[in-house]
Amino acid sequence: VLESGEAMRFAFVVLGFAVRANGQCDLSPYQPEIDHLAIHYDNAPDRDDGHSAALDRTLIDSTHDGCRNESFFERLTPVTGTYGFRTKYKKPNWFKTDSDAVMEAAWGDCGGWISAHVDLDKAVTDTAARWVNTLSKGGRIFVKEGGPSEFTADVVQKIVEAYPSLNFDPSCQVTVVQHSNWNEKQTYRDYLNYVKDNTNYVRISD
C-alpha cells in the first residue's frame, strides 16, 4: 500500500536515485531511453494506489517524452493486483475491482497494463517477457513496489528458470524500491528474503 502523500517522493526515488553501491554493478540512475520501469500496485485493501497511478502517469509524461513516445511502451509495465498471497487468502475481497477503471485511464493508451488479480500465472509470464526484452538490449529493471513482493520474486525467478542463456544477474540488473513496513509484513518471509538477497533492494522511509 502506498500512501498518496508519499507517492511523489517514492516516484522520484525510483526514477532517479534508487541505485546504491553494489560491487561492479552499473550505478547510473534510471535511463528512460534504455531501462524498464515496472510499477506494481496492490490496489488492496484501500484505494491509494489509484492516486499513485494517476501521479505516476503525470510524472512520467512531465519528466520525459514518456507515453507520447510509443517506443517507451515496451519499457514500461504497470501491474495491478500485486497484493501478495497472505492478503489473498486472509481477505480475498480486499482487492478493489473498480481500480481497473483507474488503471485503464492511466495506462490504457500507454502500452496497456497487466492484472495479476485476474490471472497471476499469466501476469508473471507476461511481465517476465517484457523485462527480458529490455534486459536483452542491455537495459535494467527498476521496480516501484506499491505492495508486497511475492509478485516481484515470482517474475525474477521466472526469468532465472526460463531464460538461462540471458546470464541474468538480478542483483545488478533489478532495483526494487520498497517504502512500507506493512508491505514487507504482508510478504511471506521466504519471498521477501529472496527479493532482498537477489535484487538491488532499496528500502526507503515509510
Side-chain angles (χ1 to χ4, degrees), residues 51-80:
H51 306 164
S52 181
L55 174 64
D56 293 337
R57 173 60 188 269
T58 301
L59 184 62
I60 285 170
D61 283 349
S62 64
T63 54
H64 54 85
D65 286 344
C67 294
R68 293 184 294 275
N69 180 356
E70 290 190 7
S71 68
F72 177 70
F73 296 176
E74 68 180 27
R75 297 186 301 279
L76 173 71
T77 305
V79 184
T80 188

Side-chain angles (χ1 to χ4, degrees), residues 88-141:
K88 178 179 180 180
Y89 294 115
K90 187 162 59 177
K91 294 285 185 180
N93 61 340
W94 271 8
F95 179 72
K96 304 301 182 184
T97 55
D98 52 1
S99 65
D100 286 356
V102 180
M103 293 293 292
E104 182 61 24
W107 305 115
D109 66 343
C110 192
W113 50 281
I114 292 173
S115 177
H117 176 71
V118 170
D119 189 333
L120 177 59
D121 290 341
K122 186 176 186 302
V124 170
T125 298
D126 290 351
T127 300
R130 290 196 184 195
W131 288 20
V132 167
N133 184 52
T134 294
L135 292 165
S136 64
K137 298 175 182 177
R140 299 159 299 158
I141 312 300

Side-chain angles (χ1 to χ4, degrees), residues 13 27 49 65 83 85 90-91 93 97 129 161 168 196:
V13 167
L27 302 182
D49 278 8
D65 286 344
Y83 42 68
F85 306 138
K90 187 162 59 177
K91 294 285 185 180
N93 61 340
T97 55
E161 294 176 353
F168 179 46
K196 285 184 172 181

